[in-house]
Amino acid sequence: MTATARFDLKMNAEDKDVIAKAAALTGTTMAGFVRAAAREKAQSLLEREARIRLSQHDFAAFAAALDTAFSPNPALEDALARARRKVRRA
């Protein structure tokens, strides 16, 4: 791996000892262990936050909205009318 960015981290001696032992058990350096653990945690968090969770009631309302014909509200109707006046079609 070629390092392209640097990230410094200060920790207390107890944390360093725990991480050093864990890194040794996995056969990697402390930096490699911390990098892998941080990436794993970050990826897990990003995946969790990318999901939308709905209650059964909310999901039913969402599914019903998808199944219902769309009807634009007055503000959207106005915006569409203004856009039609400005845009010329070929």
Side-chain angles (χ1 to χ4, degrees):
M1 177 183 79
T2 303
T4 58
R6 185 168 181 84
F7 177 78
D8 292 319
L9 176 67
K10 290 185 180 185
M11 66 180 75
N12 64 37
E14 183 181 335
D15 289 345
K16 183 179 177 184
D17 186 49
V18 168
I19 292 170
K21 288 176 183 175
L25 285 173
T26 60
T28 188
T29 63
M30 282 182 58
F33 181 83
V34 170
R35 187 172 37 253
R39 183 170 179 85
E40 181 181 317
K41 181 71 173 184
Q43 193 64 43
S44 174
L45 176 65
L46 293 172
E47 288 172 5
R48 185 184 82 209
E49 291 301 311
R51 290 187 200 106
I52 297 172
R53 296 183 192 157
L54 301 174
S55 68
Q56 286 184 336
H57 177 266
D58 290 340
F59 178 77
F62 177 72
L66 291 177
D67 292 337
T68 304
F70 174 74
S71 59
N73 64 23
L76 181 56
E77 287 282 3
D78 183 51
L80 289 170
R82 282 185 281 123
R84 285 186 193 108
R85 287 191 298 268
K86 291 181 181 180
V87 176
R88 296 177 193 242
R89 296 181 187 249

